[in-house]
Amino acid sequence: MRPLPDEYFISIVKEVAKRSTCLRSQDGALIVRGMQIVSTGYNGAPSKITHCSEVGCIREQNQIPSGERHELCRGAHAEANAIVYAARYGISVEGATMYCTRFPCSFCSKMAVNAGIKRVVFIEDYPDELAKDILRNVVVERGIT
């Protein structure tokens, strides 16, 4: 049976997440405009920077709880990477849908709003009330897992 569009894109974002080099969680993001994938991203260290999978996790070494002190991490979030990669190649994400393995954090939510993302579909929730407030004018839906 042919999957519905959200089911199809959610299945792809799960595959994108497998590229993650983060030791704590494997997250992926996918940006879609007009039923076409325009960008993908997964969490991990920036290009040409040593990955956590090679040198260890700064957050683990310093016992930083999940959801706190996002700046103390070698990696960038999947959602941020998907937005940045689209910008790098001059691809507009205005009016797009972003599919995520996890609800975006407040920093990624700000980026999504400023980039013009109009809809976010996620698989797993993330306890960030500020992010939920930031995305209040964006259609947010839990995707089919």
Side-chain angles (χ1 to χ4, degrees), residues 10-118:
I10 285 289
S11 71
I12 294 171
V13 83
K14 289 177 184 178
E15 287 300 311
V16 170
K18 291 178 182 178
R19 291 279 303 151
S20 170
T21 58
C22 179
L23 299 174
R24 291 179 114 183
S25 67
Q26 282 61 56
D27 293 313
L30 186 73
I31 301 176
V32 175
R33 280 186 68 199
M35 295 298 294
Q36 295 296 312
I37 297 168
V38 297
S39 187
T40 65
Y42 50 87
N43 57 334
S47 300
K48 300 181 180 136
I49 301 294
T50 308
H51 295 287
C52 299
S53 57
E54 300 170 65
V55 296
C57 175
I58 295 168
R59 296 177 63 77
E60 288 291 330
Q61 293 162 3
N62 291 291
Q63 300 176 349
I64 300 168
S66 180
E68 295 179 17
R69 306 292 315 267
H70 296 247
E71 76 280 7
L72 297 177
C73 181
R74 178 179 299 282
H77 288 181
E79 302 86 354
N81 279 330
I83 293 167
V84 168
Y85 293 144
R88 182 179 187 175
Y89 294 104
I91 301 167
S92 173
V93 298
E94 180 75 33
T97 295
M98 181 167 17
Y99 293 86
C100 312
T101 52
R102 189 183 312 252
F103 193 96
C105 73
S106 55
F107 180 76
C108 291
S109 294
K110 290 182 249 184
M111 288 183 68
V113 168
N114 282 344
I117 301 286
K118 295 298 180 199

Side-chain angles (χ1 to χ4, degrees), residues 130-141:
L130 178 57
K132 290 171 174 65
D133 185 52
I134 291 166
L135 291 176
R136 71 183 176 281
N137 294 319
V138 174
V139 176
V140 178
E141 301 171 15

